[in-house]
């Protein structure tokens, strides 16, 4: 990353009140502290950011990395040797929280040997008041705690920590603020996530996201287009538009715009080759969007359409606002308009009150839709959500048995569905060298499946045509033509 020139920022003056200028002021100030500490220690300071959870968090982590590199830290993938360890946390399921507490125990031991080390925690889990209370009480060695709404203040918070020598906690309950033009360091030079909206207003009854990510707010289309144009100028060929419910994009804007309209504007950006988006809520997926997808040359042939349950009764208790029939009709409509589209989904097993009949409805949808792949989750009780206090929580052994049945069905179907492209020629974005065989590269097709084929480093970031020679279940072996 190119280091920004902060020489015109006078850090002896008061901090500016406006954003993003205020954060650039704090980045300049933080760089002073980091440089001084590195001089004192005789080596550059290193950092390691670990991301839990979804693509939204992955994108947030790129913003954290952008700031850390601007202030003089150097990235290391080895947490044990890092001078600043950051966990960008997820709280969508209880397991994610448990993993963070477990790893904090290890960090505490590391910090005893290296007292100047900094530990930062951010992300969705920090938006839960009970978590912060527990950290304040039992994890005093943590240096910095902030949430999802004020991540843009990272530089300012680091300076506060350098100047206070105490645990810094800054959590906001909600915000409508969106700060543009801050640095970020992309993980891949050729593809990037782009936030188009933040938060969620759907309040599905099992889900903690609306509480930890706040109310839905859309970014201004001009800012989105400008960001993508800059990315393309910088070598990006594929973008993933990110939002908890992209289909309701634009509802909070002064000048309203639909998601389908936004996609059409993005399609016009010259040099951009592929557009993906995630996540779609079935209740808001419009005919206009289906039409735009069917006509587009750039939108990838993949739709992630979480069903959550196949039972209309459970869907109603989940507050999903569609029925099994409505969902299946939607799938038919999409397949009619975009015949070779790949469909993926999320499914929760063991929602309170789920009976064997309800579960069979879910299996029925899986068999009817024949998903390319499905993420299956065991229902996890999240304190504060309506489902947490619902009656008839399903016993663990019953849930586990249903989960295993579902997983088998999903995997068997997916292996069959994925192999239908054998023998065809597909356009593929080469993403990396193969992990196991140095003579192969790995690329992604429009439908999100991976293919491995002979190739060299220079191909990475390029879109090439590949003949799919052999289906291997969830991926292909191929050859470039
Ligand atoms: N328990 C299990 N899975 C959940 N998800 C969201 N909340 C929960 C929960 N409490 C799943 C949903 C969602 C995905 C991102 O996580 O399937 O689509
Ligand atoms: Fe959670 Fe539902 Fe919002 Fe998705 S749409 S983030 S599942 S509340």
């Amino acid at each position: 990353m190119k280091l920004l020139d902060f020489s015109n920022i006078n850090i002896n003056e008061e901090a500016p009140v406006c954003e993003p200028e205020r954060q650039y002021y704090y980045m300049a100030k933080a760089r002073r502290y980091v440089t001084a500490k590195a001089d004192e220690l005789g080596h550059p300071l290193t950092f390691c950011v670990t991301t839990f959870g979804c693509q939204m968090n992955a994108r947030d982590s790129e913003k954290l990395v952008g700031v850390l590199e601007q202030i003089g830290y150097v990235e290391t993938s080895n947490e044990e040797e890092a001078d600043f360890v950051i966990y960008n946390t997820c709280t969508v399921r209880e397991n994610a929280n448990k993993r963070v507490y477990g790893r904090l125990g290890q960090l505490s031991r590391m910090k005893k040997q290296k007292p100047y080390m900094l530990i930062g925690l951010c992300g969705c889990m920090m938006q839960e008041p009970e978590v912060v209370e527990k950290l304040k009480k039992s994890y005093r060695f943590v240096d910095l705690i902030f949430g999802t709404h004020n991540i843009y203040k990272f530089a300012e918070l680091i300076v506060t920590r350098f100047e206070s020598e105490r645990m810094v906690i800054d959590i906001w309950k909600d915000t409508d603020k969106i700060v543009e033009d801050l640095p970020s360091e992309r993980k891949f030079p050729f593809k990037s996530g782009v936030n188009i909206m933040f938060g969620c207003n759907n309040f599905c009854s099992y889900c903690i996201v609306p509480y930890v990510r706040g109310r839905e707010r859309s970014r201004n289309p001009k800012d989105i287009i400008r960001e993508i144009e800059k990315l393309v100028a910088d070598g990006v060929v594929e973008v993933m538009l990110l939002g908890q419910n992209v289909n309701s994009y634009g509802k909070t804007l002064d000048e309203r715009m639909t998601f389908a309209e936004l996609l059409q504007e993005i399609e016009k950006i010259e040099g951009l080759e592929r557009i993906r988006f995630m996540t779609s809520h079935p209740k808001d997926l419009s005919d206009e969007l289906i039409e735009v997808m069917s006509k587009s040359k750039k939108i990838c042939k993949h739709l992630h359409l979480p069903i959550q349950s196949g039972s209309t009764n459970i869907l109603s208790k989940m507050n999903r606002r569609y029925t099994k029939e409505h969902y299946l009709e939607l799938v038919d409509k999409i397949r009619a308009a975009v015949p070779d589209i790949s469909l993926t989904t999320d499914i929760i097993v063991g929602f309170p009150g789920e009976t064997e009949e309800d579960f069979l409805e879910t299996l029925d949808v899986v068999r009817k839709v024949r998903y390319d792949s499905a993420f299956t989750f065991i229902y996890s009780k999240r304190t504060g959500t309506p489902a947490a206090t619902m009656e008839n929580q399903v016993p663990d052994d019953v849930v586990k048995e249903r989960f295993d049945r579902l997983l088998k069905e999903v995997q068997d179907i997916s292996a069959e569905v994925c192999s239908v492209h054998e023998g065809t020629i597909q356009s593929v974005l080469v993403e990396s060298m193969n992990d196991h065989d140095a003579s192969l590269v790995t690329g992604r097709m429009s439908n999100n499946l991976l293919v491995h084929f002979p190739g060299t480093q220079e191909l990475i970031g390029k879109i090439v045509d590949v003949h799919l020679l052999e289906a291997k279940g969830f991926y292909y072996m191929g050859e470039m033509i």
Side-chain angles (χ1 to χ4, degrees):
M1 173 192 260
K2 213 171 120 237
L3 280 191
L4 294 166
D5 178 10
F6 294 144
S7 59
N8 59 346
I9 297 177
N10 184 352
I11 56 170
N12 299 314
E13 284 176 3
E14 289 268 304
V17 246
C18 288
E19 299 293 2
E21 292 76 12
R22 184 177 172 88
Q23 294 315 311
Y24 282 100
Y25 166 92
Y26 280 111
M27 279 180 237
K29 209 165 185 178
R31 196 187 279 174
R32 282 277 182 91
Y33 286 119
V34 173
T35 313
K37 189 76 194 169
D39 287 348
E40 182 193 320
L41 294 169
H43 61 78
L45 295 188
T46 54
F47 73 90
C48 179
V49 177
T50 303
T51 312
F52 299 83
C54 67
Q55 311 236 13
M56 204 71 103
N57 260 18
R59 181 67 185 138
D60 281 350
S61 288
E62 292 183 346
K63 296 174 187 170
L64 300 174
V65 172
V67 169
L68 287 165
E69 294 196 341
Q70 286 303 335
I71 67 176
Y73 276 97
V74 179
E75 185 159 24
T76 168
S77 53
N78 182 356
E79 188 172 286
E80 305 229 335
E81 69 181 31
D83 302 309
F84 194 172
V85 173
I86 295 140
Y87 290 164
N88 188 3
T89 62
C90 168
T91 187
V92 83
R93 285 169 291 273
E94 178 68 23
N95 270 350
N97 292 36
K98 288 200 187 120
R99 273 170 64 206
V100 169
Y101 288 124
R103 289 180 68 151
L104 277 176
Q106 283 170 331
L107 286 188
S108 148
R109 283 186 287 282
M110 275 157 58
K111 192 160 177 170
K112 285 206 179 92
Q113 282 162 14
K114 201 164 63 174
Y116 66 86
M117 168 186 177
L118 293 181
I119 299 171
L121 298 177
C122 61
C124 295
M125 192 177 152
M126 299 307 121
Q127 293 292 143
E128 289 184 274
E130 314 81 69
V131 168
V132 176
E133 277 315 305
K134 183 163 168 174
L135 292 169
K136 273 205 293 211
K137 222 166 109 201
S138 315
Y139 296 82
R140 292 298 312 166
F141 55 90
V142 174
D143 297 281
L144 190 56
I145 298 176
F146 57 104
T148 53
H149 299 300
N150 54 351
I151 185 169
Y152 73 88
K153 276 180 72 184
F154 188 38
E156 183 171 347
L157 296 171
I158 292 175
V159 168
T160 313
R161 176 63 187 83
F162 276 130
E163 291 176 350
S164 76
E165 294 289 325
R166 277 188 291 120
M167 190 186 222
V168 174
I169 304 179
D170 192 9
I171 309 284
W172 297 1
K173 269 184 87 76
D174 204 350
T175 184
D176 51 13
K177 194 164 177 153
I178 298 177
V179 179
E180 298 289 343
D181 296 318
L182 285 170
S184 78
E185 177 62 14
R186 275 179 286 116
K187 198 166 164 211
F188 301 97
F190 51 86
K191 68 171 186 176
S192 179
V194 174
N195 298 109
I196 63 165
M197 57 201 302
F198 302 93
C200 181
N201 283 355
N202 288 317
F203 291 95
C204 300
S205 64
Y206 51 81
C207 186
I208 200 164
V209 169
Y211 306 88
V212 295
R213 290 254 171 200
R215 294 295 57 75
E216 182 178 298
R217 53 216 179 271
S218 293
R219 267 179 87 192
N220 200 312
K222 287 201 185 71
D223 291 327
I224 298 171
I225 303 281
R226 197 161 49 99
E227 178 177 346
I228 301 178
E229 283 171 348
K230 264 205 224 147
L231 289 168
V232 170
D234 206 25
V236 165
V237 290
E238 177 181 303
V239 289
M240 166 76 93
L241 309 177
L242 297 170
Q244 304 296 346
N245 178 11
V246 290
N247 303 107
S248 79
Y249 172 81
K251 290 193 180 147
T252 58
L253 294 171
D254 292 338
E255 280 177 53
R256 282 184 77 151
M257 181 183 219
T258 64
F259 180 52
E261 285 164 351
L262 176 72
L263 280 172
Q264 284 168 293
E265 289 306 309
I266 295 176
E267 174 111 16
K268 290 182 198 151
I269 299 175
E270 225 167 285
L272 181 67
E273 307 271 355
R274 281 179 165 187
I275 306 167
R276 297 183 187 278
F277 53 83
M278 157 151 289
T279 288
S280 287
H281 194 306
K283 81 175 163 64
D284 296 313
L285 198 138
S286 66
D287 290 349
E288 185 198 11
L289 175 63
I290 296 176
E291 194 186 331
V292 168
M293 287 182 80
S294 75
K295 295 205 173 119
S296 166
K297 298 213 158 42
K298 297 187 179 176
I299 300 174
C300 287
K301 301 221 176 300
H302 172 215
L303 185 65
H304 186 64
L305 196 61
I307 176 136
Q308 313 297 4
S309 167
S311 151
T312 296
N313 173 34
I314 294 293
L315 285 169
S316 149
K317 289 190 180 147
M318 285 178 162
N319 192 30
R320 291 290 289 177
R321 286 172 275 173
Y322 53 84
T323 61
K324 176 186 179 189
E325 289 68 34
H326 173 194
Y327 185 93
L328 290 174
E329 276 165 29
L330 193 57
V331 166
D332 285 346
K333 221 178 340 179
I334 295 161
R335 287 223 163 109
V338 192
D340 43 354
I341 196 158
S342 136
L343 288 176
T344 58
T345 200
D346 293 343
I347 302 171
I348 299 176
V349 181
F351 184 83
E354 184 189 74
T355 61
E356 176 64 16
E357 288 69 43
D358 292 320
F359 175 68
L360 291 177
E361 298 275 9
T362 300
L363 278 186
D364 186 46
V365 171
V366 166
R367 288 182 189 131
K368 287 202 165 101
V369 177
R370 297 179 61 79
Y371 293 105
D372 287 68
S373 76
F375 296 100
T376 50
F377 305 107
I378 287 182
Y379 167 71
S380 168
K381 195 173 178 171
R382 310 309 292 124
T383 310
T385 62
T389 51
M390 284 181 188
E391 288 176 359
N392 300 325
Q393 304 273 335
V394 186
D396 288 352
D397 54 335
V398 177
V399 179
K400 180 77 180 68
E401 192 270 333
R402 285 181 195 160
F403 182 82
D404 291 344
R405 265 194 286 161
L406 175 67
L407 192 63
K408 178 154 191 330
E409 193 72 38
V410 158
Q411 284 177 343
D412 289 352
I413 292 175
S414 155
E416 282 171 32
V417 172
C418 294
S419 62
V420 302
H421 308 285
E422 203 173 75
T424 63
I425 292 166
Q426 301 280 337
S427 141
V428 165
L429 170 58
V430 184
E431 296 198 338
S432 61
M433 294 305 295
N434 185 282
D435 288 342
H436 306 291
D437 182 341
S439 70
L440 302 179
V441 291
T442 300
R444 196 177 292 273
M445 305 180 218
S446 173
N447 64 14
N448 216 29
L449 285 178
L450 294 179
V451 51
H452 309 290
F453 56 98
T456 52
Q457 188 85 32
E458 300 77 65
L459 288 176
I460 294 176
K462 302 226 160 59
I463 295 185
V464 296
D465 283 335
V466 176
H467 186 194
L468 305 182
L469 298 174
E470 194 189 352
K472 293 271 197 187
F474 306 104
Y475 64 90
Y476 281 92
M477 301 306 295
E479 71 184 357
M480 206 167 106
I481 53 164

